[in-house]
Structure formats: structure tokens, C-alpha cells
Amino acid sequence: MVWTELTEGLGQALAALGLLTPERLALVELAIPRERAHGDWTTNLPMILAREVGRPPRALAADLAAAFPADPERFGPVEVAGPGFLNFRYSARFLAALPARILAADAAFGRSDRGRNLAVQVEYVSANPTGPLNVVNARAAAVGAALVRLLEATGHRATSEFYVNDAGGQVELLGESVAARFAERIGVPRAFPENGYQGEYLRDLAASLPEAEARAALGSPAAGAWFRTHALERLVEAQRRDLADYGATFDAFVRESSIHDSGAVQATLEELRAKGVIYEAEGAQWVQTTRFGDDKDRVVVRANGLPTYLLPDIAYHRDKRRRGVQVSIDLWGPDHHGHILPLKASLEALGLERGFLEVLIVQQVNLMSGGQLVKMSKRAGEFVTLRDLMDEVGPDCAKFFFLMRSANAHLDFDLDLAKRQNDENPAFYVQYAHARIASILRYARTRGLEPGDAGASGEWHDQELGLVRQLAAFPEVLRGAAAAREPHRLPAYLMETAATFHRFYHECRVVSEDVPLSQRRLQLSEAARIVIRNGLALMGVSSPERMERGVEVEP
RNA sequence: GCGCCCGUAGCUCAAUUGGAUAGAGCGUUAGCCUCCGGAGCUAAAGGUUACAGGUUCGAUUCCUGUCGGGCGCACCA
């Protein structure tokens, strides 16, 4: 990987000037500049070191540039620019050889080991098991699944988990709601609980229960538990299936009840107590999170002896750490951000590393149709589900739209636009480029032409070079997106790559009478196809070989 | 009242953890198919990055304050 060679080269340059220390080497930041005129890679190292070394940035930059080891296989001469940047440019030889390397690497192109095998777990969706998944869950599923793939591709040991909140008051309410629906179905009077779950799906669920058993259970004192257990089983399975169809799979579904049953909750409390951060007040047990940055201490065991939500959550994360997870990235809904500080502080109180827990808030989604907000209310049972969304706009399109935006910004999802099967829909743009390349390769094959590097040493068109440069950035884009936990950089890069390909295609005839040139351009096109396909795969979006324009349906 | 997120082109959003001349899509306007897929390409127009200060070589990014939008502020989850 180019990044490695640049870092090593800068280390050698520092050593040549007698400036090399491990601390300074760790300061090296390499980036791909926004402006093409600033080269293919750039570093601000001279400006960062200038003060410490006591030299003007530009003079330091000039010395570093001169001391940078020549590497004609990869780079041209190093340039000093602006207030003290060092800019690197790929050599012509490197660019000419890259498409062949991409074809050889194929599905592995873009992957790296920059994650150093760190064990990272992404916990996402973790919806309450009280009903179908909604559109925020759909957004979290798209982001979470993409993040897992991105981490895996960049050399992390990535795992995924879904935490099922199957303990506590709300699932009791669920059990009562289902029992009431079942009673209603068989004509037995039974009050529907106050604030119960109103959704129509519970009527369907009640109808699917084994009737004789349910009748027997209804009369017993344990009715709530029976209906709760059966409802949970069905609802969790339905969520799992919807997510799988959507392309979001999990290494494990962990149930909160299992954390209780294993004794981990009690053990966690005792461990906290041993750390001296638990005290009793007003009949309840409190954890001193204020010692670790929280605004106030938090109750972990209520006066009635039952734990609050926080304690099992601490226990769950403690359990993750004991299972070897080094970083836990949790994707939570916008209504949970008040919980971040208490949990982080609690985990620190328990002795876990400060950076163990990272929380990404997946912000709310406003569905827009006809310029109007689509109203959703879970209480009233009126909401658009993940399943609805897949049926309406298709899984590829839904995922593309969700991944285009950064997760922690509110999102207006334009259903009308997403449904449109034409050029106004940005989701098709990248897929179209892929299908177009596939088509070109098919056409070339009918003329007996295959990708090859016969013409690599010839004169290259600017658009060809521009495309190679764009493709060369792919590994670094993946690294950056994974490191920043920002999958949305992926579609942005792919849209740019597709545009770069289209420009190349417009200016450069691929299949022509010139056989070596045709082979070279076919190879370049195939390389672009591979990059687009690899990128879309990380997003969980398909890469069609062909696309049919959808039939326009007049409203 | 306190905390968190957000405020960037007419609309929806980017901007590579503080980098160089703030970019895309949609919409608008004007062009480009005897030729490998026109779901494409080219060009134009569109900005005091909500506002006021501060930090420094350099701020959309970090800090303080103000205004506006959203979400939290439980011995619910």
C-alpha cells in the first residue's frame, strides 16, 4: 500500500536530517488532497514540526523533500507547496501499472490491514421487541451493516450484535396487550392495558398463537408471562427475518434476560461496589458516575430492589469486554443520547478503557411524500416499517439513500424520488456505471477483445489518468471511512468514481481498431468496474450487469 | 433552566478528524447521440458556511456567547 511507503520514506527523510523520533513519526498525517493540482498525496508534517524544531515550515519542507528517498516505481519528485505542504505525485510508471494490479487483486482491492486486527464490535438496531422495525431502524441497519463490512475490510476483527431488550416493564405491557387481543378474538372480556401497544400487528400475532394453549394460559395467573414469551419469540424472529432480507445480519442476538439469568447483573453490581463507587441513598443504590464526568450520579438498583435499565447495560458491556471485544461501537436512536454519559462513566468506573465504548447516534428520519411529512405514530400503530420501505423503493435504493448521509444528521427521505426509476434518482447513477462497463466488456468480447496491458507504455489521455488516480484512492477512502466510522464517505466516493468513468468514456473511445489501446482501456474499465462493485458490496448494494429502465407509472 | 445533535447554493446534503480556490445531486438555463448503454456528458447561474467574538501559519471544522430547529433531562427502556 502506498501509505506505508510514504510513511517509511518520511521516516528516512527525518532520519537523514537528524530529526527522527518515534513521537514525530507518529505525527505524520497523510491525506489525499481535495485539489488535484496539489498532487496525489500530501502531508502537513513540516508545518506541524516547524515550531518544535525551530525552523520555518517551508525551509524544513524543502530539506525533507530533498531527503525523501527517490522511488521512481511509485513517485515523481516531491514538491514543496503553500505554507509548507509536501506534495507527492504518482509516477507515470505507477499509474500505468495500477489497472493490472486492480484486476489481479479483484475483490481484495481496497482492503488493508490498517485496523491492526483490533476486535471491534458494532451493536446496531437493537430495537425493542415490541413490534415491526421502523424507518430509523432501517437507517441504523444500513449504517451498521456497512460499518461492519468496512471495518472487516480494513483489517479489524469485526463482529456484530443485536441486543434484545426482553426484560422490564415494556415487554410486560406487550404480554398484556397480546393477551387482551387474544381475549378480544375469542370473545372473552379482558381490559386492554393503559398505554398498551395498539398496532394492528398484535391482532395478527394473537391470531397466530396455538389456540388451545393460549385459551388455557389466558385463565391462569401466569397469563402475562405466557403471552409475553410467545409474542417475543415471534416478534424477534420477524425482526431478524426482515433484517436478513434487507442484508443486515448479526453474529449474535443477545437477550437482556440472559444477562440477568447468568448472574452477570449481580456480579457487576458487586464489582462496582468493590471499586467503591456504589452508595445507598433514599433506599436505592447509586453509582458515582460524577467521578467520571457525568452530571449526576445514577440509580442502579431502585428502592423496590429491581435494577434500573443502566445496570444490565453495564453488565452487558462488561460481558462484551470479557469476551475479548476491544472497542464496542453502539448505534443508538436519537432518544437515547442522554444515556451515553451515564453508561460511559459507569464502564470507566468499572475499570474498562476510556475508549471502549463509542456511541453513534443515528438521527431521526422524516419520510417525505408529495412535499409533505408522512406522519408516523408507533403508539397508534401507524408507521412505515422497514418491510414497507423495502416494498416501496427496494432494498438497494433504501440503503443507498440512508448511506448517502452522515448518520448523526437528521434526514429527509424523499419517497417520491426514491421510487422514481429514472435519472432523477441518484441511487441508480453508480449502478448504471457498473452496468455500462459490463456492457462495454460484453461488446468487446464479441469483437474478440479482452482487457490487457499491451498498450500500457503508450501515450495516456488525461481522462484515463484521471480515472486511474480516482481508483488509486479507493483503499484510503475505505481506511478513512472506517477510522471515522463514517460509511457515508463511500457513496460519495462512488458517485465521484462513476462520474470520472463517464467522463473518461465520453472522451475516450474504448473499443477501436487499435488493439493494444483497446486492451488497455478495457483493462482500465474493468478496474473501474471492480472498484465500483467492491464499494457497492460494502454498502450492501447490488452491482447489476444489466439495467432495464423502469416503466414510468403516472400517479 | 441544563445537556446532546443540527444550522453550508432555491431544495436535500458533502467537505478526507484544523489544510491550500467550500463541492455534489435535484431543480433552472444553454448545448452534445450516423459511434462501445443518453439512467450519460459539457457549460452557465446559484454562497458574508445562521450571527458576533476568540485560538493560529490557516477555521465550515476547535473555544465562548447569541439566535433558530430537533431530541433528551426517571428509582421507564
Side-chain angles (χ1 to χ4, degrees):
Chain A
M1 217 182 136
V2 175
W3 181 87
T4 315
E5 280 82 31
L6 284 169
T7 308
E8 280 169 11
L10 283 168
Q12 288 177 39
L14 283 170
L17 300 184
L19 295 175
L20 182 65
T21 66
E23 293 76 30
R24 286 173 186 158
L25 194 60
L27 287 176
V28 171
E29 282 172 28
L30 287 158
I32 296 174
R34 171 159 52 204
E35 202 72 38
R36 272 285 144 79
H38 299 145
D40 296 308
W41 283 87
T42 185
T43 182
N44 57 1
L45 187 66
M47 286 177 285
I48 292 178
L49 289 184
R51 176 163 302 189
E52 184 194 341
V53 173
R55 301 200 51 200
R58 277 197 67 104
L60 186 56
D63 289 351
L64 283 169
F68 191 85
D71 184 1
E73 282 304 315
R74 294 189 180 83
F75 304 110
V78 185
E79 296 157 24
V80 177
F85 292 100
L86 286 178
N87 293 343
F88 305 87
R89 256 168 237 284
Y90 292 128
S91 64
R93 217 183 293 177
F94 176 86
L95 292 173
L98 187 67
R101 283 177 43 209
I102 295 175
L103 265 64
D106 200 16
F109 182 70
R111 299 177 63 93
S112 67
D113 57 3
R114 295 283 297 281
R116 298 175 181 183
N117 225 22
L118 193 72
V120 181
Q121 177 175 98
V122 182
E123 180 210 320
Y124 65 106
V125 184
S126 295
N128 287 329
T130 53
L133 297 167
N134 60 31
V135 290
V136 177
N137 298 141
R139 185 179 189 184
V143 173
L147 196 52
V148 174
R149 295 187 204 101
L150 213 38
L151 288 165
E152 195 276 327
T154 50
H156 304 78
R157 275 183 293 147
T159 54
S160 55
E161 223 157 82
F162 185 120
Y163 185 56
V164 183
N165 297 126
D166 65 340
Q170 61 172 2
V171 286
E172 278 174 37
L173 196 57
L174 174 72
E176 290 302 328
S177 303
V178 175
R181 286 299 185 219
F182 181 78
E184 170 189 287
R185 180 181 163 72
I186 61 170
V188 173
R190 187 183 178 101
F192 194 82
E194 200 179 337
N195 295 323
Y197 293 90
Q198 299 278 358
E200 199 59 33
Y201 60 93
L202 287 190
R203 285 206 170 87
D204 301 338
L205 197 155
S208 76
L209 295 169
E211 190 168 331
E213 244 183 282
R215 274 180 187 274
L218 196 60
S220 84
W226 190 92
F227 283 96
R228 184 174 68 226
T229 305
H230 284 77
L232 278 171
E233 198 177 294
R234 283 171 165 75
L235 289 169
V236 170
E237 173 54 24
Q239 290 184 347
R240 191 203 59 76
R241 199 171 44 237
D242 285 352
L243 286 164
D245 290 349
Y246 186 60
T249 55
F250 297 84
D251 295 314
F253 281 69
V254 175
R255 296 198 175 214
E256 186 189 341
S257 57
S258 76
I259 303 288
H260 286 92
D261 297 346
S262 71
V265 174
Q266 195 57 36
T268 300
L269 181 60
E270 275 151 28
E271 208 171 307
L272 285 168
R273 188 169 285 132
K275 299 272 182 193
V277 292
I278 297 289
Y279 64 91
E280 190 171 331
E282 300 160 49
Q285 309 282 322
W286 299 69
V287 60
Q288 284 179 302
T289 49
T290 44
R291 279 171 51 183
F292 302 91
D294 199 1
D295 316 319
K296 54 181 179 184
D297 292 340
R298 307 288 168 167
V299 172
V300 284
V301 180
R302 293 178 264 178
N304 65 9
L306 293 175
T308 61
Y309 173 81
L310 181 60
L311 188 56
D313 221 13
I314 300 168
Y316 171 47
H317 285 84
R318 166 180 172 271
D319 179 63
K320 287 189 192 189
R321 188 70 191 89
R322 289 161 84 97
R323 276 151 43 204
V325 174
Q326 291 171 290
V327 173
S328 178
I329 304 175
D330 293 13
L331 271 57
W332 292 353
D335 50 337
H336 282 67
H337 71 239
H339 190 56
I340 298 174
L341 216 48
L343 183 57
K344 278 192 171 179
S346 300
L347 293 177
E348 217 179 314
L350 198 58
L352 297 199
E353 302 88 340
R354 186 180 276 271
F356 173 74
L357 177 64
E358 292 178 26
V359 179
L360 303 183
I361 294 297
V362 178
Q363 285 290 352
Q364 77 182 68
V365 177
N366 292 322
L367 286 179
M368 309 295 286
S369 182
Q372 295 286 311
L373 186 66
V374 180
K375 288 279 181 199
M376 287 176 287
S377 155
K378 192 163 188 174
R379 268 288 136 72
E382 298 163 359
F383 54 92
V384 178
T385 64
L386 166 63
R387 180 64 66 181
D388 294 339
L389 196 62
M390 275 195 278
D391 294 344
E392 284 277 315
V393 307
D396 278 350
C397 195
K399 281 182 269 195
F400 199 96
F401 269 60
F402 285 133
L403 288 170
M404 274 199 299
R405 310 303 183 207
S406 84
N408 75 339
H410 298 193
L411 169 64
D412 285 354
F413 192 110
D414 187 338
L415 278 171
D416 303 329
L417 180 61
K419 263 189 280 195
R420 228 165 281 159
Q421 301 266 312
N422 62 20
D423 54 357
E424 290 167 44
N425 189 335
F428 291 116
Y429 183 79
V430 178
Q431 288 186 315
Y432 174 73
H434 184 273
R436 193 183 212 184
I437 297 171
S439 168
I440 294 163
L441 290 163
R442 282 194 299 271
Y443 172 81
R445 220 157 278 137
T446 66
R447 306 263 304 247
L449 286 166
E450 295 283 344
D453 45 19
S457 58
E459 217 31 49
W460 287 61
H461 193 281
D462 278 352
Q463 296 295 345
E464 289 183 274
L465 293 172
L467 182 53
V468 179
R469 285 200 166 87
Q470 177 69 20
L471 302 180
F474 186 55
E476 174 61 13
V477 170
L478 297 191
R479 186 208 62 77
R485 325 302 192 204
E486 290 184 351
H488 75 265
R489 295 187 192 182
L490 208 43
Y493 167 78
L494 292 177
M495 288 172 79
E496 223 177 274
T497 304
T500 309
F501 176 79
H502 288 311
R503 270 195 298 276
F504 152 76
Y505 175 84
H506 189 75
E507 297 262 338
C508 300
R509 177 81 200 176
V510 177
V511 178
S512 67
E513 297 307 314
D514 185 336
V515 173
L517 183 66
S518 300
Q519 289 177 335
R520 177 178 93 200
R521 288 181 174 171
L522 283 167
Q523 188 182 54
L524 177 55
S525 301
E526 172 66 359
R529 193 187 67 79
I530 287 170
V531 167
I532 290 170
R533 184 203 60 199
N534 290 359
L536 286 175
L538 289 168
M539 294 170 66
V541 175
S542 68
S543 301
E545 300 285 320
R546 294 186 158 79
M547 287 174 81
E548 309 301 333
R549 194 194 202 98
V551 179
E552 289 299 310
V553 182
E554 292 302 320

